[in-house]
Amino acid sequence: MVLVLAASDVCLWRVKLPALPASKLKLALPNLVEEQLLSNPAECIVLANPGPADAEGLHSVAIVQRSWLEQIQQQLRTLGARKISAYPAQLCLEVGEKTLAVLQHDDNNPANIELTLCRPHADRLGLPLWASQSAVQEALATLRSLVPEQPLQLMVAANHVAAYQAAVDSGIEVQADSWPRWVAGAKHCKLDLMAAIAGGSEGAMDWGRWRWPLVLLALIAMIHIVSLNVEYLVYPKEIESDALLQMTRNINAAKLASGQGAPDDFTTMMAVFGDTWQKISTNRKVASIANIEYKERTLTIKWKDDSELPTAEAKVLFANRHLLLNESAAKVWQIKLGK
């Protein structure tokens, strides 16, 4: 939603701004205009028109009462408005070399008139007028007091064009005002006063517009999940035929989870082997180890051919520790967990 604020509700001054970053300039603006304000700058929104300075090195600075604008924002939010922008009426008019003035009569009370005055290379201002008898004559008299003896372009509502044309002097050109002109000017205006209010010009997310895309995305994700797990869903899990072996594996898994080593872990089997081999080799000359390999929960030991290898005695000792010893080849032992 786009609001065009009446010129009398927004003060617009041309100020020479210091060369500061945008964040620091935002903090410094209230201090730059403090002397020209009757109210506390903290109660106002003070924004500079973005973009380069004009030919005189000045920037337009807009000032509006914060509480008033916040109240408007809350009312529009209640009515369902999402993204709200508010622009000063003075900046929604394109001004050439000739002064431009707009007189807007209140439809309910034509004596109440809003004057918007835009002069080239000067401050753009707005004034509320309250005419007593002849509204047209008093409005023109006020206008000429502000812009004496200068050619200007005057815009009024279409139903007031004839009355003003009959009353103006030769230096005033009367034209019919139209809302498309204001709307077109608002599109080019860069000074959005709602941007100074938290959540002002940023609308809430309209999830209704994304409902069907999100549903489609969920369906696509579901299809991919099913296709990736189709093998798991179609084929049954392998069932352990040996109940004792399954129980042993479950116990080992529980031990690992608690930090204990399983009987067929490398470290456990090496500890048992070292203890057993120490008993066998005490006061006896035995073979030397050539290589040790651990693979698929089996400890494979290759011996050198220089001494006797007490295989039969070792089988008994390993069996007492629930390990099975097989001599797969000459001088090669394979040790694994027994059943």
Side-chain angles (χ1 to χ4, degrees):
M1 177 178 288
V2 177
L3 300 178
V4 178
L5 301 179
S8 60
D9 292 326
V10 182
C11 293
L12 196 66
W13 295 328
R14 295 165 70 240
V15 180
K16 188 173 183 62
L17 300 179
L20 294 174
S23 57
K24 293 185 178 180
L25 180 61
K26 184 178 180 181
L27 298 175
L29 275 175
N31 297 324
L32 295 176
V33 299
E34 183 177 7
E35 295 182 356
Q36 305 178 51
L37 294 177
L38 296 177
S39 59
N40 187 351
E43 299 175 356
C44 301
I45 293 174
V46 184
L47 285 182
N49 194 19
D54 58 18
E56 300 177 12
L58 302 177
H59 290 79
S60 294
V61 175
I63 306 166
V64 66
Q65 188 177 10
R66 180 179 295 275
S67 59
W68 174 75
L69 194 60
E70 288 177 345
Q71 184 179 3
I72 293 177
Q73 180 207 40
Q74 293 173 2
Q75 291 175 352
L76 294 176
R77 291 280 191 220
T78 304
L79 295 175
R82 297 182 181 275
K83 183 177 181 180
I84 306 172
S85 300
Y87 304 108
Q90 304 97 305
L91 295 180
C92 295
L93 295 172
E94 296 184 7
V95 182
E97 294 301 324
K98 186 184 295 187
T99 298
L100 174 63
V102 182
L103 290 172
Q104 296 170 315
H105 291 254
D106 189 343
D107 293 336
N108 298 323
N109 188 359
N112 292 343
I113 306 171
E114 176 75 21
L115 169 62
T116 303
L117 183 61
C118 302
R119 294 169 293 183
H121 313 297
D123 292 335
R124 301 186 181 190
L125 56 89
L127 291 174
L129 306 178
W130 295 275
S132 57
Q133 296 178 354
S134 177
V136 173
Q137 294 294 340
E138 293 184 22
L140 289 174
T142 302
L143 181 59
R144 270 311 185 190
S145 66
L146 296 172
V147 190
E149 299 179 0
Q150 292 183 13
L152 61 87
Q153 181 182 356
L154 175 62
M155 293 195 304
V156 296
N159 58 334
H160 293 287
V161 171
Y164 276 93
Q165 285 179 338
V168 297
D169 56 51
S170 58
I172 300 178
E173 177 187 355
V174 181
Q175 294 182 357
D177 190 10
S178 61
W179 275 111
R181 183 170 185 171
W182 294 90
V183 173
K187 291 181 179 179
H188 298 92
C189 185
K190 299 179 180 179
L191 204 161
D192 183 6
L193 294 169
M194 281 292 181
I197 301 177
S201 59
E202 297 180 0
M205 186 68 178
D206 186 6
W207 291 106
R209 299 174 56 187
W210 295 92
R211 179 178 58 184
W212 290 113
L214 290 174
V215 171
L216 181 61
L217 182 63
L219 291 175
I220 294 174
M222 187 178 298
I223 292 173
H224 281 283
I225 292 173
V226 173
S227 62
L228 290 173
N229 293 275
V230 65
E231 183 178 354
Y232 177 82
L233 296 174
V234 172
Y235 296 100
K237 295 182 180 179
E238 181 182 356
I239 300 175
E240 185 65 66
S241 58
D242 191 337
L244 181 59
L245 181 58
Q246 182 179 3
M247 183 179 67
T248 302
R249 290 179 176 176
N250 291 338
I251 293 174
N252 292 339
K255 288 182 177 180
L256 287 175
S258 62
Q260 301 180 26
D264 54 354
D265 282 349
F266 173 75
T267 54
T268 305
M269 295 182 72
M270 281 299 300
V272 174
F273 170 76
D275 183 55
T276 303
W277 188 246
Q278 185 178 7
K279 295 178 180 179
I280 295 175
S281 61
T282 301
N283 301 324
R284 180 190 300 181
K285 184 179 180 181
V286 292
S288 300
I289 298 174
N291 183 39
I292 296 178
E293 181 182 357
Y294 179 81
K295 186 178 181 180
E296 296 180 355
R297 300 189 178 277
T298 301
L299 190 65
T300 302
I301 304 170
K302 296 181 181 179
W303 303 93
K304 295 180 180 179
D305 296 331
D306 54 354
S307 299
E308 176 187 1
L309 193 61
T311 304
E313 183 181 355
K315 285 184 177 182
V316 175
L317 294 175
F318 281 121
N320 294 334
R321 305 293 292 271
H322 306 289
L323 293 177
L324 181 63
L325 170 61
N326 292 322
E327 192 169 12
S328 59
K331 301 294 182 178
V332 178
W333 283 6
Q334 284 189 337
I335 305 171
K336 60 183 178 180
L337 186 66
K339 295 184 179 181

